[in-house]
Each structure stands twice: as structure tokens, then as C-alpha cells.
Amino acid sequence: MITTKSIPKIKKLLGKSKRNRKIIGFVPTMGALHKGHLSLIDKAKKESNFLVVSIFINPLQFGPSEDFKKYPRNIKKDKKLLKKHGVNLLFYPQADKIYTPDFSTFVQEKEISKKLCGKSRPGHFQGVTTIVTKLFNIVEPDLSYFGQKDYQQALIIKKIVKDLNFAAKIKIAPIVREKDKLALSSRNAYLNKKERKESRAIYQALFQAKKMVKDKEKNPKKIIKEMKKIIEKKPTAKIDYIEIRKAKNLEKIRKIKGKIFIGVAVYFGKTRLIDNIIIQSKT
Ligand code: AMP
């Protein structure tokens, strides 16, 4: 595995791969890798023949009161894992090379970004779309992989690819979960024992929703009410949002119909966790 921090070096290397007609697969991450990241990497490895992973904790996507400083960092362990999973190139840039002191250009998607997590985390998605645009311009991938765990983010990336004519094809991979069904996340490390135990309520609520849809409940409000009950029982939980939306574009729906997204954001103590399921309802 080649590891580089240098943008000119990566451009030179990848230009060569392109000339050799390699299919460049790309998985952007913020490091502290877990099995969720590795599932994207394994999928990308199968479908491409030159695999690039980036590790960059993007300051632009963290709000002023968020966890940028304490975000977990473990580059040694990450490098080992990436080697083991057959990654060809690790791009591990320095923040001051990505955002030079005179940096003044931002990429903003203005529709899907306004909703759900966009409301709770102003500026977050602009940070994401700006860094992904930069990384796509540096790596020029043919295929790039994102997790359903951050479904809104994946939809926004798909939208900027369409709107700005990027060549990359975006693939969305399923959510990898712990044994008790909590979605894997680097932020799970912040949870204390009690919070960790109570965080199971997220999946229990999603599971209840799935069951209600299967039993032909058509009213999203009724489903959300039941989900709330499950989560609110937990003393350390504070709901940010529970929403049921059209999966295609996260538009509001009055009735359960077609492919739907059920998304949850909940604080356990100070840690904000997100999760979702996507269901194709029968009618
Ligand atoms: P992050 O390092 O948190 O920016 O995540 C990098 C990529 O991994 C994103 O596309 C995430 O959606 C994806 N990802 C994070 N957690 C999971 C998970 N539990 N299952 C699948 N993909 C995930």
C-alpha cells in the first residue's frame, strides 16, 4: 500500500492508473476505522482494480460546539487494517494543505441539505460537499462508496455528482451493526456503559416502525409516536428528530407509500447518534 499526504503525488500516481485503464474505486473516511468502513472498502475492492481510501477529519463539517478536537484518531491501526484489506493507496492529507489560509470556495447543495441533520447541524453538509468535491477532483474516482448509515449525506453526494457532472458513480452500502443492532460508528466510543446499553432503543424503535409498516399502518404520525415512546423510556436519551420521508429525496409524506426512509437522531448523554432503515411498503 502506498501512503501519501501529497496532492501532486497522488495526482501523478492516479493519472498513471487512469492511463493504464484501471477502474479507480474510492472510499472517503475520517479514520478510526471499524467494520462499517471496512464493508465499504471490501465492496470497493471487488468492484474496482485500484482502490484509494482517504483519511481526513474534515474541520469544515464540524460545528463550533461539536467534537472535532476529541474525534477518535488511530492512524497506526487504520493503516494496518487498510493494508490487510488490499487498499492500494492511502491518501492522508494535512489540513493546511487541504484548506490553505486563503481558502474561500465552498460547495453547497441547497435542497436535501436543508432537512433533518441539516437543520440540527447548520453548515455540516456544506462542509461535507466541499471536501468531497475537493477529494473527487484530487482522486478522480470511477466509483465511490458511501454508507447508508449516513443516508442523507449519500443522497446529497449523489445530487452534487448529478448537478456538477462528476464522473464518479456513487454506490451506497448497507449499515453494519453491532450484535445488539446498534449501528457501528466512531462516535459509539464516547458512550458510557449506561448510555451504550440504552442506545439499543434506537434499533428497537426502528424495528417497531418496520413491523407497523408491515402490518399496513399508513399513518406516519402513529408510527413516530410509538417510536418516541420506546426511546423516551431511556433516561439518558434525548430525541433530536424522528422522521419518515420519501426515500428518493427525503420529502415529507402524509401516507406510507412506496419506498420510505425512517430516520432517527438521538442524543445519549452528549453523544448524538443517527440511524435509519429504508423500507419498500407494499402499497
Ligand atoms: P466517516 O468516517 O464516519 O466519515 O464514515 C466514512 C464512510 O463510512 C461514510 O460513507 C459512512 O456512511 C460509512 N459508514 C460509517 N458507519 C457505517 C456503518 N455502520 N455501516 C456502513 N457504513 C458506515
Side-chain angles (χ1 to χ4, degrees), residues 28-31 34 36-37 39-40 71 145-147 149-150 153 174-176 183-184:
T29 80
M30 298 206 296
H34 52 63
H37 298 112
S39 76
L40 301 186
Y71 195 85
Y145 297 78
F146 293 84
K149 160 83 177 12
D150 302 280
Q153 165 176 285
I175 301 175
V176 178
L184 291 185

Side-chain angles (χ1 to χ4, degrees), residues 10-272:
I10 193 172
K11 281 212 156 258
K12 206 170 144 196
L13 274 165
L14 290 171
K16 219 166 152 190
S17 302
K18 273 244 175 302
R19 281 195 299 282
N20 292 337
R21 295 181 189 278
K22 297 241 183 189
I23 298 169
I24 298 176
F26 178 46
V27 183
T29 80
M30 298 206 296
L33 302 177
H34 52 63
K35 286 181 185 147
H37 298 112
L38 296 173
S39 76
L40 301 186
I41 289 166
D42 292 343
K43 190 169 157 62
K45 181 73 189 169
K46 277 195 199 129
E47 296 174 1
S48 61
N49 45 29
F50 193 89
L51 177 54
V52 184
V53 171
S54 63
I55 294 182
F56 181 63
I57 305 176
N58 176 32
L60 223 55
Q61 71 189 67
F62 289 79
S65 61
E66 290 183 359
D67 55 340
F68 175 68
K69 278 208 177 119
K70 70 164 187 179
Y71 195 85
R73 291 155 167 88
N74 202 340
I75 188 66
K76 254 194 177 165
K77 187 174 160 224
D78 288 351
K79 272 191 191 168
K80 264 194 196 155
L81 283 169
L82 294 176
K83 262 189 213 162
K84 202 172 141 203
H85 285 256
V87 172
N88 300 101
L89 177 63
L90 166 61
F91 181 44
Y92 177 51
Q94 280 166 284
D96 59 352
K97 291 284 181 325
I98 291 288
Y99 301 117
T100 50
D102 62 343
F103 186 84
S104 60
T105 306
F106 299 87
V107 177
Q108 191 183 26
E109 190 283 330
K110 289 185 125 180
E111 198 50 52
I112 310 169
S113 302
K114 286 193 296 206
K115 311 166 201 263
L116 310 176
C117 289
K119 269 202 184 132
S120 327
R121 303 182 70 189
H124 168 68
F125 286 123
Q126 180 175 292
V128 171
T129 44
T130 301
I131 190 63
V132 171
T133 297
K134 285 175 68 72
L135 291 169
F136 278 7
N137 283 331
I138 294 166
V139 176
E140 297 184 56
D142 298 292
L143 304 167
S144 187
Y145 297 78
F146 293 84
Q148 186 197 313
K149 160 83 177 12
D150 302 280
Y151 184 72
Q152 185 176 9
Q153 165 176 285
L155 277 191
I156 293 167
I157 301 298
K158 277 197 164 191
K159 191 69 182 11
I160 66 163
V161 162
K162 179 171 179 266
D163 288 352
L164 301 180
N165 305 94
F166 285 108
K169 187 162 184 245
I170 303 303
K171 302 245 184 168
I172 304 181
I175 301 175
V176 178
R177 300 179 177 282
E178 299 279 7
K179 272 207 184 99
D180 67 355
K181 303 288 187 190
L182 177 68
L184 291 185
S185 162
S186 311
R187 290 191 167 101
N188 293 352
Y190 302 151
L191 300 169
N192 67 29
K193 240 182 167 177
K194 187 162 191 240
E195 292 159 356
R196 173 64 187 80
K197 202 170 164 206
E198 294 190 354
S199 66
R200 287 180 198 161
I202 294 183
Y203 190 77
Q204 285 162 2
L206 289 170
F207 189 78
Q208 172 66 17
K210 196 172 169 180
K211 191 167 165 286
M212 289 177 83
V213 172
K214 209 174 153 209
D215 293 342
K216 306 229 163 37
E217 176 57 64
K218 294 288 165 212
N219 184 348
K221 282 189 185 152
K222 278 194 184 162
I223 299 174
I224 291 171
K225 200 173 153 201
E226 290 308 308
M227 294 175 74
K228 264 192 180 154
K229 269 194 214 161
I230 294 172
I231 296 173
E232 278 171 349
K233 266 190 207 146
K234 307 294 174 191
T236 67
K238 193 173 158 274
I239 296 170
D240 179 4
Y241 67 73
I242 300 179
E243 296 274 355
I244 301 184
R245 301 283 177 112
K246 200 190 258 188
K248 195 177 147 200
N249 48 19
L250 300 182
E251 269 172 15
K252 287 189 175 159
I253 50 171
R254 287 223 196 104
K255 210 179 148 205
I256 303 292
K257 199 179 154 213
K259 203 173 178 190
I260 55 161
F261 161 90
I262 307 180
V264 173
V266 186
Y267 286 93
F268 286 88
K270 286 194 174 126
T271 306
R272 184 175 177 277

